[in-house]
């Protein structure tokens, strides 16, 4: 696409593989007819890589694929020339909002405060527009002019490589684990599969499975729709959907008796306090932080404090050096040595 010409794959035939089926089942029903027809015409190799579908009023339709964004033409081809792209209309925006909300956007007022709505299948639709603020807090979003449909990928077996390093060979217990990753490097996908396997059990590691409590503040781990996880998070997993991490961790400790608590993207002072409470209660913790490595997260006061307390036994560093989800390193925090 470097020369700006329209590209159409001739070698790919639209199959009925998992990714295409998921888009057909979950994503197409929330798109207006014209955009639905355009997406259906995309080459199969593009459909299989879609991570996001972006609608911005008056701007070209864009799909986010594995390594780049691609503008989409009215014929379902991809291009780098904005003038060739399909321009998202006011009616497209209004119809999409109706479809994602079941024609009742006000029923999703709580979700709108967080800037997104979760749809069937666990996919998250980010929202931008006019923000209404009441007493310094976001009340809702109106005049919606931007939508980002993030396709929630589920990769069964994504954690196979790391799990042998996360089960202590002597005690047989799960190790306190922190995943460190830049954005869009498969962090949540890996986290979800660790939860699934540890919850259900890992026979080849002689790990029988254990109760896990998940605080899914942004509805990304379990992808709950009407409170029901749309993603497989295991047999012994309890999920608090849309709940602030610190409060959720305390609720799980008091009421659900987990052996492991999992959450995504820690970083606030109250998160650190909740992690310490879990530690004091003898509960293992599994969580994530944004960053390119240990040095970067140590520059943030709260994360530096957490690291200095010696809470974690394992650090998993993710990156893209060999593609999305590359395990760059696994570190034993006691010895400070790489396990790879």
């Amino acid at each position: 696409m470097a020369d700006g010409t329209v590209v159409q794959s001739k070698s790919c035939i639209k199959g009925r593989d998992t990714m295409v089926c998921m888009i057909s089942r979950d994503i197409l029903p929330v798109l207006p007819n014209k955009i639905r027809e355009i997406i259906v015409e995309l080459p199969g190799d593009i459909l299989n890589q879609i991570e996001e579908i972006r609608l911005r009023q008056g701007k070209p339709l864009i799909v986010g694929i594995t390594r780049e964004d691609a503008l989409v033409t009215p014929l379902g081809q991809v291009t780098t020339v904005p003038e060739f792209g399909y321009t998202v209309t006011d009616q497209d925006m209004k119809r999409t909002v109706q479809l994602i909300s079941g024609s009742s956007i006000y029923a999703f007022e709580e979700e709108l405060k967080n800037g997104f709505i979760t749809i069937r299948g666990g996919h998250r639709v980010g929202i931008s527009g006019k923000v209404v603020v009441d007493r310094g807090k976001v009340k809702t979003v109106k005049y919606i002019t931007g939508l980002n449909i993030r396709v929630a990928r589920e990769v069964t077996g994504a954690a196979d490589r790391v799990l042998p390093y996360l089960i202590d060979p002597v005690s047989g217990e799960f190790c306190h684990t922190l995943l460190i990753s830049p954005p869009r490097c498969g962090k949540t996908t890996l986290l979800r599969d660790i939860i699934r396997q540890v919850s259900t059990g890992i026979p080849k590691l002689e790990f029988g499975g254990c109760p896990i409590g998940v605080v899914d503040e942004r509805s990304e781990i379990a992808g709950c729709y009407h409170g029901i996880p749309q993603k497989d998070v295991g047999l012994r997993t309890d999920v608090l959907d849309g709940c602030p991490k610190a409060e959720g961790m305390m609720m799980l400790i008091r009421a659900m008796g987990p052996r492991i608590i999992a959450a995504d993207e820690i970083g606030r002072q109250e998160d650190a306090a909740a992690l310490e409470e879990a530690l004091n209660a003898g509960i293992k913790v599994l969580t994530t932080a944004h960053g390119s490595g240990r040095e970067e997260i140590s520059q943030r006061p709260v994360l530096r404090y957490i690291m200095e307390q010696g809470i974690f036994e394992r650090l998993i560093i993710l990156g893209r050096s060999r593609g999305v989800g590359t395990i760059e390193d696994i570190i034993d925090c006691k010895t400070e040595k790489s396990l790879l």
Side-chain angles (χ1 to χ4, degrees):
M1 295 190 296
D3 61 357
T5 58
V6 175
V7 175
Q8 176 75 41
S9 171
K10 296 181 180 179
S11 62
C12 182
I13 299 173
K14 296 182 182 67
R16 302 308 301 169
D17 56 28
T18 303
M19 190 64 187
V20 175
C21 286
M22 181 172 64
I23 290 174
S24 299
R25 182 190 68 232
D26 300 334
I27 306 299
L28 293 185
V30 302
L31 295 173
N33 288 337
K34 179 59 181 176
I35 295 180
R36 189 181 307 169
E37 292 168 1
I38 291 172
I39 296 297
V40 165
E41 289 302 317
L42 282 168
D45 53 349
I46 298 295
L47 280 172
N48 288 328
Q49 297 181 67
I50 287 181
E51 296 178 350
E52 299 175 341
I53 301 174
R54 288 185 175 269
L55 285 68
R56 298 182 178 93
Q57 187 172 319
K59 304 292 184 181
L61 175 65
I62 293 177
V63 292
I65 54 180
T66 303
R67 291 189 176 275
E68 60 185 336
D69 290 335
L71 282 65
V72 185
T73 76
L75 298 178
Q77 300 170 316
V78 295
T79 181
T80 57
V81 181
E83 290 78 12
F84 292 169
Y86 173 78
T87 301
V88 178
T89 68
D90 173 60
Q91 287 303 309
D92 289 332
M93 296 299 302
K94 288 179 179 177
R95 182 58 179 154
T96 307
V97 170
Q98 287 178 338
L99 291 169
I100 65 174
S101 66
S103 299
S104 181
I105 194 67
Y106 298 106
F108 290 85
E109 195 163 280
E110 285 301 314
E111 288 90 340
L112 288 174
K113 291 178 183 179
N114 295 317
F116 65 87
I117 291 175
T118 301
I119 61 174
R120 187 181 302 276
H123 313 284
R124 193 170 74 172
V125 183
I127 294 170
S128 63
K130 173 64 177 177
V131 176
V132 179
V133 178
D134 182 23
R135 299 178 183 177
K137 295 185 177 181
V138 175
K139 182 178 181 182
T140 188
V141 179
K142 63 179 183 177
Y143 305 130
I144 295 171
T145 56
L147 296 168
N148 179 22
I149 302 172
R150 298 186 63 182
V151 179
R153 292 171 176 266
E154 192 170 22
V155 183
T156 300
D160 287 355
R161 185 185 175 198
V162 305
L163 282 167
Y165 301 99
L166 305 185
I167 307 298
D168 187 288
V170 177
S171 67
E173 293 287 326
F174 184 81
C175 298
H176 298 291
T177 301
L178 175 66
L179 281 62
I180 303 174
S181 169
R184 298 179 70 174
C185 284
K187 166 177 57 65
T188 304
T189 300
L190 178 60
L191 174 65
R192 184 188 301 121
D193 199 56
I194 293 173
I195 293 167
R196 178 187 68 84
Q197 295 202 50
V198 173
S199 170
T200 300
I202 314 167
K204 63 183 178 181
L205 297 179
E206 299 182 350
F207 186 84
C210 66
I212 298 182
V214 175
V215 187
D216 199 0
E217 185 169 7
R218 299 185 180 184
S219 303
E220 287 188 294
I221 303 171
C224 289
Y225 179 73
H226 293 173
I228 301 172
Q230 303 292 290
K231 304 303 179 186
D232 185 357
V233 287
L235 299 179
R236 302 174 179 85
T237 302
D238 300 298
V239 180
L240 291 179
D241 181 53
C243 181
K245 283 184 283 292
E247 290 89 334
M249 284 188 268
M250 297 308 299
M251 290 168 65
L252 290 168
I253 291 169
R254 288 193 294 262
M256 300 307 296
R259 282 174 53 191
I260 301 171
I261 286 180
D264 206 1
E265 298 179 18
I266 59 166
R268 296 175 298 183
Q269 188 63 53
E270 52 266 37
D271 297 341
L275 288 177
E276 290 182 314
E277 286 292 332
L279 193 67
N280 292 335
I283 297 169
K284 298 293 185 175
V285 295
L286 168 64
T287 189
T288 72
H290 274 309
S292 59
R294 185 169 185 172
E295 297 76 14
E296 182 178 333
I297 68 167
S298 293
Q299 294 174 10
R300 302 173 203 161
V302 172
L303 290 172
R304 182 172 63 247
Y305 171 80
I306 292 172
M307 297 300 294
E308 289 173 349
Q309 300 312 299
I311 290 176
F312 294 107
E313 298 168 285
R314 297 287 187 271
L315 299 183
I316 300 175
I317 315 296
L318 291 179
R320 283 179 176 256
S321 64
R322 296 182 299 280
V324 175
T326 299
I327 308 299
E328 305 288 358
D329 205 356
I330 301 174
I331 299 172
D332 181 332
C333 297
K334 292 182 179 178
T335 64
E336 299 291 333
K337 293 181 178 180
S338 172
L339 298 176
L340 294 183

